[in-house]
């Protein structure tokens, strides 16, 4: 057994099985999913707190992410660019976030429905994202450099997450394709 596949000492004392984790592989996948959920929430809190150190503006992690994606490469983005780049389909929520960022003075909308609407950062948005990057470097990047070998593992982690994203996307398409109409589950039914 390789070093990577050896169980963590004491892990046999833990009950890792539940309805989504019935086999060893299901346990591993479920633990990754649970870690992703917790990481996503921690990432959102980090984004909100880092932005709050720059400017007094209440933004969710997703709104903060949109601001930085709009700033990316300093070129305007359409709403479809933003949805594609963030792997989101919730256009009404993206529109709400854009209105909030526009009202805050960080983003401006240019064009029209006829010519095409794009979004770009304002001078304030540029200053805020620059300051955010400075604080991110001091607090986050410095912390990453202090964990032995973590910096070297980040590229592999990003690649693995992209692969897993593709697997989830394919599984979601398959589930949507094969979805059947079914009667409501009877809460009184047992053993079905």
């Amino acid at each position: 057994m390789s070093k990577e596949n050896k169980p963590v000492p004491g892990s046999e004392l833990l009950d890792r099985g539940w309805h989504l984790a019935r086999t060893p592989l299901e346990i591993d996948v479920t633990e990754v999913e649970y870690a992703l959920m917790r990481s996503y929430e921690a990432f959102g809190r980090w984004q909100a707190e880092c932005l709050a150190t720059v400017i007094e503006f209440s933004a969710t992690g997703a709104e903060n992410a949109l601001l930085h994606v709009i700033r990316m490469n300093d070129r305007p983005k359409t709403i479809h660019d933003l949805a594609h780049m963030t792997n989101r389909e919730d256009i009404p929520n993206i529109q709400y976030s854009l209105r909030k960022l526009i009202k805050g003075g960080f983003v401006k909308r240019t064009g029209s429905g006829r010519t095409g609407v794009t979004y770009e950062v304002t001078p304030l948005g540029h200053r805020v994202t620059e300051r955010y990057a400075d604080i991110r470097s001091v607090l986050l990047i410095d912390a990453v450099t202090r964990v032995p070998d973590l910096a070297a593992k980040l590229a592999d982690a990003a690649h693995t997450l992209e692969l897993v994203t593709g697997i989830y996307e394919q599984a979601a398409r398959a589930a949507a394709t094969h979805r059947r109409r079914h009667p409501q589950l009877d809460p009184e039914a047992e053993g079905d």
Side-chain angles (χ1 to χ4, degrees), residues 15-162:
D15 180 6
R16 295 175 28 185
W18 53 305
H19 72 281
L20 295 177
R22 298 168 294 200
T23 68
L25 179 58
E26 286 180 348
I27 289 170
D28 290 343
V29 170
T30 303
E31 287 188 359
V32 167
E33 290 173 335
Y34 195 48
L36 282 171
M37 286 184 272
R38 291 189 315 264
S39 295
Y40 174 77
E41 294 301 328
F43 179 59
R45 273 192 304 282
W46 151 251
Q47 289 180 306
E49 291 300 327
C50 188
L51 184 63
T53 64
V54 175
I55 192 165
E56 193 170 316
F57 181 76
S58 178
T60 65
E63 291 161 350
N64 187 45
L66 279 178
L67 175 61
H68 292 285
V69 170
I70 292 167
R71 166 79 196 278
M72 187 185 300
N73 300 320
D74 288 316
R75 65 177 175 77
K77 314 283 187 307
T78 67
I79 197 163
H80 295 292
D81 292 335
L82 296 171
H84 181 71
M85 294 172 79
T86 57
N87 197 29
R88 292 176 59 181
E89 296 177 345
D90 57 334
I91 299 296
N93 291 332
I94 294 172
Q95 290 170 325
Y96 173 82
S97 295
L98 287 168
R99 287 191 300 272
K100 188 173 173 181
L101 292 170
I102 290 168
K103 186 176 180 180
F106 307 113
V107 171
K108 68 179 179 179
R109 177 184 173 188
T110 58
S112 67
R114 179 172 278 183
T115 61
V117 174
T118 60
Y119 300 88
E120 59 188 298
V121 294
T122 63
L124 174 62
H126 191 276
R127 288 191 308 274
V128 165
T129 56
E130 280 298 310
R131 181 76 173 135
Y132 181 100
D134 293 340
I135 292 169
R136 179 180 181 265
S137 183
V138 169
L139 296 177
L140 183 67
I141 302 306
D142 184 61
V144 168
T145 63
R146 294 178 187 275
V147 178
D149 301 322
L150 181 58
K153 294 177 182 178
L154 290 177
D156 286 340
H159 181 71
T160 299
L161 287 172
E162 290 296 339

